[in-house]
């Protein structure tokens, strides 16, 4: 599965508290590679109104 990250995501990720950042980094850079396609990941929600397949990731972190 091809996963792309925009610069804003990476910048916002770096500004999160270490505990939350590590949880997100673990999922988006390591765990996500275990899936063949996005339909297998129950933490994802497709956002409408975008040209590309933009998703919202729910890891239970409130910032």
């Amino acid at each position: 599965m091809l996963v792309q990250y925009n610069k804003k995501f990476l910048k916002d990720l770096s500004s999160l508290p270490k505990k939350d950042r590590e949880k997100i980094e673990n999922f988006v850079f390591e765990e996500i590679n275990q899936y063949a396609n996005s339909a297998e990941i129950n933490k994802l929600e497709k956002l409408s109104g975008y040209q590309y397949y933009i998703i919202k990731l729910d890891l239970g972190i409130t910032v």
Side-chain angles (χ1 to χ4, degrees):
M1 175 171 62
L2 174 64
V3 179
Q4 296 178 326
Y5 310 97
N6 66 25
K7 289 180 183 180
K8 180 162 177 31
F9 167 76
L10 297 173
K11 183 178 178 181
D12 290 348
L13 181 61
S14 68
S15 68
L16 292 175
K18 184 177 180 178
K19 179 182 172 188
D20 295 336
R21 184 181 69 242
E22 288 176 345
K23 185 176 182 180
I24 294 170
E25 287 174 342
N26 182 51
F27 181 78
V28 300
F29 298 129
E30 296 175 22
E31 289 180 33
I32 205 163
N33 294 322
Q34 299 171 8
Y35 300 97
N37 60 57
S38 59
E40 296 178 357
I41 307 171
N42 62 0
K43 297 177 182 177
L44 298 181
E45 176 184 338
K46 185 179 185 307
L47 300 179
S48 61
Y50 291 91
Q51 179 181 2
Y52 302 102
Y53 194 82
I54 305 294
I55 54 93
K56 178 175 124 181
L57 178 60
D58 182 8
L59 293 175
I61 297 172
T62 304
V63 181

